[in-house]
Amino acid sequence: MNRGVVEEDVILIVDDTPTNLEVLLDLLEAAGFKVVVAEDGERAIALAEYAPPDLILLDILMPGIDGFETCRRLKANPATQEIPIIFLTAVSDNVDKVKGLNLGAVDYITKPLNHEEVLARVNTHVRLQNLTKRLTEQNERLEKEIQQRQQVEAEREQAFRALQRSEARFRRLIEANVIGVIFSMTDGRITDANDAFLRIVGYDRADLKARNLNWQAMTPPEYIHLHQAAVTELTNTGVFNAFEKEYFHKDGHRIPVMIGGAFLDESQKAIVGFVLDLTQHKQAEDKIREQAALLNITTDAILVRDLDNNIQYWNKGAEHLYGWNAEEAVDQNATQLLYRPDSLKQLEVAQKSLIECGTWQGELHQVNKQGKEITVASRWTLMHDAQGQPKSFLTVNTDITEKKQLESQFLRTQRLESLGTLAGGIAHDLNNILTPVLSTAQLLQLKFPYADEQSQNLLKIVEANTRRGAALVKQVLQFTRGIEGNRESIQVEPLIYEVKQIAEKTFPKSIQVLTDVKPGLWSVSGDATHLHQVLVNLVVNARDAMMNGGTLTISAENLFIDEHYARMNLDASVGPYVGLRVKDTGTGMPIEVIDRIFEPFFTTKEIGKGTGLGLSTVRGIVKSHGGFIDVFSKVGKGTEFKVFLPATEATVAPQAEPSNLLDGNSEWILVVDDEVEILETTKAALEAYNYQVLVANDGIEAIALYAQHKDKIAVTLIDMMMPSMDGPTTIQTLQKIQPGLKAIAISGFVSNDKLREASGIKHFIAKPYTIQELLQALQIVLKQPAVVSQKW
């Protein structure tokens, strides 16, 4: 029997009797069914789970699990519970039938089987099963369609409500007074506008109704090209991007605005535009520009850093101070940009104070773009946002590099002056000690010309060592007051080559001596011998710094010191200079040594290899020539001394005529000194050369003696530094007694310039002095005519 189905229905037969299986198999296959067989309940359950059949014919009596248990398990499994089950049984007991139906079976077929009955019942239940499937599928499709329609309705409702909200927002936007809204045509006619737009341009509703508003007529001519570009963009895309322009206000003044818009519909005739008044925005921009201009005018460096220390703002003052422009500095890390790694420790205190107090100020060592170290007075302020949270750091830095350099120079000068005062006082006392010793040694040689050779040698040793002591004291005085000698116009170039020759002949061969003298070197006013001493001292120091050899370079060039440089150096003045440089490649010096090298008796050399007076003498000589000296050194990199001497036009200094040393002619000489030994030796020396001598131990005693013997006294020798009454005061008093007073000043400390301030001083002798120097001075003064001083 062929049922003409397109797809075969599947029937599972479960029976432990092979004959029954074979009979049913043949019957059902002949009827057009696809048959699957199982010999027990376990096998039937497994086959039904794997490939659910359309119908199960299940025998009740089977070994293992019977038909009832098999049915119960199939109905308990969701995968198989919908499969219809027909029991096959040889029992006609109604109790078993009820049990089977309660377990979920749909029918019973009683054995022995009637083929027509089997086919009838199988076809009936298969059709019912297929109908159930189709109904289920149709229900599912209907439910799905219902859900889809409900979703569409929900989306429509949602879109409708969104449209309502959009319309409400648009209505509120139009009615709001924040932004102007206009409806216009492409020819510029404004058909409608909200109150905000009318307020912006100064018109009212009556003007709008009278069709008096046209955005093209309200636009200044210079913005027409922007309107043309906006119309082109509108035509191509339906919208035009916002751009800035101006409108003419009703009263004629201009209003800065930003405008954007789009077509209202597909007709491409009606336009909606949105107009934002930029007046306050422009005013705020102008104010910001003014403030930025003020920040850029200041010479202080002003920068803003974010919390990650990245630079956000960098003014012109910062560009001038550090060398980086704003484009280079912004977004850079301030710590990496402005500080060397070895100087970051100084920031710890600043950052701690900033966090705790919100502010900090102090000095910082930084570097500029060229790598040069600078010192700044820095002020930090922690900035907060509207919620009070930290957002950035404001920093204002003032360059105090020159100020710190000048402070350092000033303190160094003060210290050197203090040392000079101390050294000068010691030198004065030493001169007072050495003067009688030198005079005594000379007198003894004169008094005992025929003494034995040993005694003569001892006296010469005393004289020689006294002179050496005097020379050492003289070096100290050269540091304290410079060296005063003959000044003449000299060329420095010959001195340089002379010193070079000396160095090449005497220095180790491992030291290479180079010179670099620029052509056309200016002249300087000075003493060639003393400047020669300056160069020799500097090259000897350079030699001692290059124990393992190196290069010594002596150079000279013309320089002009400007105001900027003069402000950085206390000893410099604006004008032309000759610059001498002595540079070595030796060991170099640390900063703490550089700070003390010009102090007298300070030396880094071993005991016995240096007095510590070389550089102090150099400084004294340079200073007495009106110049100054700088030193630059780095450990392991060498040292460079720079000597600056004022340049001058060449002049020929007159030569002093030598005086003949003659014995005295019994002239009366008044000697005034607070040192008894000096009085005694000077008196003995003068009397040995036919002078008559009066001595006074201080200024008061000298005035008394002079008042008593003023008609006899020809010349007065007066020490400048005495207790009670000093030399200048004594001279002033004596000049009142004798206006034509002839006086010779004697001192181991006071400079010639200060002595000349005391009128009437005809000559000066520096302690310690020789007998020949004293006699020569007396001869010069005695030959001079008496001149009455006009000062007193």
Side-chain angles (χ1 to χ4, degrees):
M1 174 181 175
N2 192 342
R3 299 162 41 246
V5 295
V6 178
E7 293 184 1
E8 293 181 321
D9 295 314
V10 179
I11 298 176
L12 172 61
I13 303 173
V14 186
D15 199 319
D16 60 332
T17 304
T19 304
N20 293 337
L21 289 176
E22 184 178 352
V23 170
L24 288 173
L25 177 64
D26 293 339
L27 175 64
L28 294 175
E29 284 184 347
F33 295 100
K34 182 178 180 180
V35 181
V36 180
V37 298
E39 297 177 350
D40 55 48
E42 295 286 353
R43 175 66 176 168
I45 293 172
L47 288 173
E49 286 180 348
Y50 177 75
D54 297 300
L55 179 68
I56 299 176
L57 297 177
L58 177 60
D59 188 24
I60 293 177
L61 298 177
M62 292 184 298
I65 62 173
D66 60 8
F68 293 133
E69 178 61 21
T70 302
C71 180
R72 188 189 65 78
R73 292 187 185 183
L74 288 171
K75 294 301 179 178
N77 188 345
T80 59
Q81 64 183 359
E82 298 298 330
I83 304 173
I85 299 175
I86 298 175
F87 278 119
L88 300 176
T89 179
V91 182
S92 59
D93 190 349
N94 289 332
V95 175
D96 289 337
K97 290 182 179 180
V98 172
K99 181 179 179 181
L101 294 174
N102 288 335
L103 288 174
V106 296
D107 203 353
Y108 268 85
I109 299 177
T110 306
K111 297 180 182 179
L113 300 175
N114 183 298
H115 292 180
E116 292 181 358
E117 180 186 0
V118 169
L119 290 175
R121 296 197 180 204
V122 167
N123 284 324
T124 299
H125 287 292
V126 167
R127 285 196 296 271
L128 288 173
Q129 178 68 8
N130 291 334
L131 181 59
T132 300
K133 287 182 179 180
R134 287 195 295 272
L135 289 174
T136 301
E137 291 174 355
Q138 289 178 357
N139 287 336
E140 290 176 352
R141 285 197 299 272
L142 288 173
E143 288 179 0
K144 188 174 182 181
E145 289 178 1
I146 292 171
Q147 290 177 355
Q148 290 176 346
R149 289 180 180 180
Q150 288 176 344
Q151 183 177 357
V152 170
E153 291 296 329
E155 290 176 353
R156 287 178 180 177
E157 180 67 20
Q158 186 177 3
F160 177 73
R161 291 180 180 178
L163 180 60
Q164 286 182 321
R165 289 194 297 269
S166 177
E167 289 177 349
R169 286 195 298 269
F170 186 68
R171 190 180 306 109
R172 287 195 298 270
L173 176 64
I174 294 176
E175 295 173 354
N177 292 323
V178 177
I179 188 169
V181 180
I182 60 175
F183 299 92
S184 67
M185 307 305 289
T186 54
D187 60 1
R189 288 181 296 111
I190 298 176
T191 58
D192 198 2
N194 67 347
D195 292 339
F197 176 77
L198 295 175
R199 188 187 65 254
I200 290 172
V201 294
Y203 292 90
D204 54 26
R205 287 286 166 186
D207 296 312
L208 183 63
K209 291 180 180 179
R211 307 294 182 180
N212 293 332
L213 300 185
N214 186 297
W215 53 258
Q216 287 188 353
M218 296 166 57
T219 301
E222 61 265 30
Y223 295 100
I224 294 300
H225 70 284
L226 295 178
H227 270 283
Q228 293 173 347
V231 171
T232 301
E233 184 179 6
L234 188 64
T235 303
N236 294 332
T237 64
V239 298
F240 64 91
N241 292 321
F243 62 93
E244 291 187 20
K245 58 168 285 185
E246 290 179 329
Y247 275 137
F248 283 122
H249 192 271
K250 187 175 182 180
D251 62 12
H253 76 275
R254 296 188 176 199
I255 305 295
V257 297
M258 178 177 287
I259 182 169
F263 279 129
L264 272 177
D265 51 39
E266 296 180 356
S267 66
Q268 295 190 351
K269 292 182 179 180
I271 305 171
V272 59
F274 301 93
V275 181
L276 179 64
D277 187 357
L278 298 180
T279 302
Q280 293 183 352
H281 177 72
K282 291 296 183 180
Q283 290 173 349
E285 281 187 347
D286 291 341
K287 186 175 181 179
I288 291 173
R289 279 193 293 268
E290 290 175 2
Q291 293 173 344
L294 291 175
L295 292 177
N296 284 328
I297 290 173
T298 179
T299 57
D300 288 339
I302 301 176
L303 52 149
V304 177
R305 298 169 288 147
D306 63 18
L307 298 182
D308 294 325
N309 214 26
N310 296 319
I311 297 170
Q312 301 299 306
Y313 176 76
W314 186 267
N315 76 331
K316 291 294 183 182
E319 291 184 359
H320 296 153
L321 175 58
Y322 297 109
W324 289 284
N325 58 40
E327 290 75 14
E328 294 173 311
V330 170
D331 293 332
Q332 295 293 321
N333 186 279
T335 301
Q336 298 175 359
L337 188 70
L338 302 178
Y339 299 92
R340 288 177 177 162
D342 56 357
S343 64
L344 295 181
K345 196 169 184 180
Q346 62 181 326
L347 299 178
E348 295 178 0
V349 176
Q351 292 170 343
K352 182 178 179 182
S353 175
L354 189 65
I355 294 173
E356 294 176 353
C357 307
T359 61
W360 175 84
Q361 62 180 7
E363 294 182 4
L364 295 173
H365 297 286
Q366 301 177 326
V367 293
N368 61 14
K369 187 175 182 180
Q370 290 73 37
K372 179 182 177 182
E373 184 171 310
I374 58 177
T375 305
V376 298
S378 188
R379 284 87 70 198
W380 294 10
T381 303
L382 183 61
M383 308 299 292
H384 299 82
D385 58 18
Q387 288 73 39
Q389 298 299 316
K391 70 170 185 177
S392 60
F393 310 114
L394 171 65
T395 301
V396 181
N397 291 337
T398 303
D399 186 7
I400 59 171
T401 306
E402 291 185 9
K403 177 184 175 183
K404 299 300 291 186
Q405 291 174 347
L406 291 175
E407 285 180 359
S408 177
Q409 292 179 26
F410 180 71
L411 292 174
R412 187 184 298 113
T413 301
Q414 277 190 325
R415 185 173 70 250
L416 291 174
E417 288 179 352
S418 299
L419 290 171
T421 302
L422 175 63
I426 296 172
H428 174 265
D429 293 339
L430 287 175
N431 279 334
N432 286 334
I433 295 171
L434 293 174
T435 297
V437 175
L438 180 59
S439 299
T440 301
Q442 292 177 332
L443 285 173
L444 288 174
Q445 293 180 61
L446 293 173
K447 190 172 182 180
F448 302 105
Y450 302 110
D452 60 90
E453 184 177 355
Q454 184 179 9
S455 298
Q456 289 286 347
N457 289 335
L458 290 174
L459 291 174
K460 290 179 180 179
I461 291 173
V462 171
E463 181 181 359
N465 281 278
T466 303
R467 289 181 183 274
R468 286 181 60 191
L472 187 61
V473 172
K474 187 177 181 181
Q475 278 190 292
V476 175
L477 291 178
Q478 288 173 352
F479 161 72
T480 60
R481 58 180 170 82
I483 296 178
E484 296 178 354
N486 293 327
R487 294 289 188 267
E488 58 183 358
S489 181
I490 59 175
Q491 287 288 333
V492 179
E493 185 174 0
L495 297 178
I496 294 175
Y497 289 118
E498 182 179 345
V499 171
K500 178 187 179 184
Q501 291 178 356
I502 295 173
E504 288 177 334
K505 292 179 181 179
T506 59
F507 287 7
K509 299 300 181 183
S510 59
I511 296 177
Q512 182 183 13
V513 182
L514 304 176
T515 57
D516 180 17
V517 179
K518 303 299 182 184
L521 206 61
W522 293 328
S523 301
V524 299
S525 177
D527 187 300
T529 302
H530 294 156
L531 295 180
H532 184 275
Q533 183 181 358
V534 168
L535 290 172
V536 169
N537 281 343
L538 293 179
V539 298
V540 168
N541 277 350
R543 177 203 65 187
D544 295 341
M546 297 185 290
M547 301 300 295
N548 299 321
T551 302
L552 169 63
T553 305
I554 309 171
S555 60
E557 62 179 339
N558 296 328
L559 299 169
F560 188 87
I561 301 299
D562 57 16
E563 292 184 4
H564 177 73
Y565 189 93
R567 286 199 304 269
M568 296 175 60
N569 195 305
L570 290 176
D571 297 323
S573 301
V574 177
Y577 282 79
V578 173
L580 302 177
R581 286 178 171 81
V582 177
K583 183 177 181 181
D584 65 64
T585 57
T587 56
M589 297 177 289
I591 186 66
E592 58 271 15
V593 172
I594 296 176
D595 200 43
R596 298 189 60 192
I597 56 175
F598 294 113
E599 295 178 8
F601 304 111
F602 174 79
T603 180
T604 58
K605 298 177 182 179
E606 298 177 5
I607 297 176
K609 292 188 177 181
T611 63
L613 290 172
L615 289 177
S616 62
T617 302
V618 167
R619 182 180 181 274
I621 294 173
V622 172
K623 191 172 182 180
S624 68
H625 281 71
F628 61 96
I629 185 170
D630 284 336
V631 59
F632 305 91
S633 186
K634 189 172 183 180
V635 176
K637 300 295 184 180
T639 302
E640 180 180 13
F641 284 91
K642 295 183 177 181
V643 177
F644 299 87
L645 300 172
T648 183
E649 294 182 0
T651 56
V652 180
Q655 297 293 325
E657 297 182 0
S659 301
N660 294 323
L661 297 177
L662 300 174
D663 289 345
N665 194 20
S666 298
E667 291 92 345
W668 284 78
I669 309 297
L670 174 59
V671 181
V672 187
D673 200 303
D674 61 314
E675 297 288 340
V676 177
E677 293 83 357
I678 292 178
L679 290 177
E680 291 178 355
T681 55
T682 303
K683 183 175 184 296
L686 293 176
E687 288 177 345
Y689 284 92
N690 198 25
Y691 288 98
Q692 298 184 61
V693 181
L694 296 174
V695 295
N697 195 246
D698 55 38
I700 298 173
E701 185 179 352
I703 293 170
L705 285 173
Y706 196 88
Q708 185 179 356
H709 304 283
K710 65 179 181 179
D711 296 330
K712 296 180 180 178
I713 298 174
V715 179
T716 303
L717 275 67
I718 303 178
D719 184 28
M720 290 292 100
M721 297 186 67
M722 296 182 296
S724 300
M725 182 181 291
D726 61 10
T729 304
T730 301
I731 291 174
Q732 293 171 9
T733 305
L734 293 178
Q735 285 177 334
K736 294 179 180 180
I737 299 173
Q738 179 57 270
L741 176 73
K742 292 183 178 181
I744 296 176
I746 302 173
S747 178
F749 179 65
V750 182
S751 68
N752 284 350
D753 290 337
K754 291 190 176 182
L755 289 174
R756 293 190 183 99
E757 295 175 2
S759 178
I761 296 177
K762 303 301 180 182
H763 208 77
F764 170 79
I765 303 176
K767 293 180 180 178
Y769 48 81
T770 65
I771 295 176
Q772 286 78 10
E773 291 172 339
L774 177 59
L775 294 175
Q776 184 181 13
L778 282 172
Q779 289 294 325
I780 294 173
V781 173
L782 285 170
K783 290 179 180 180
Q784 293 175 346
V787 178
V788 178
S789 173
Q790 300 297 323
K791 183 173 182 179
W792 309 103

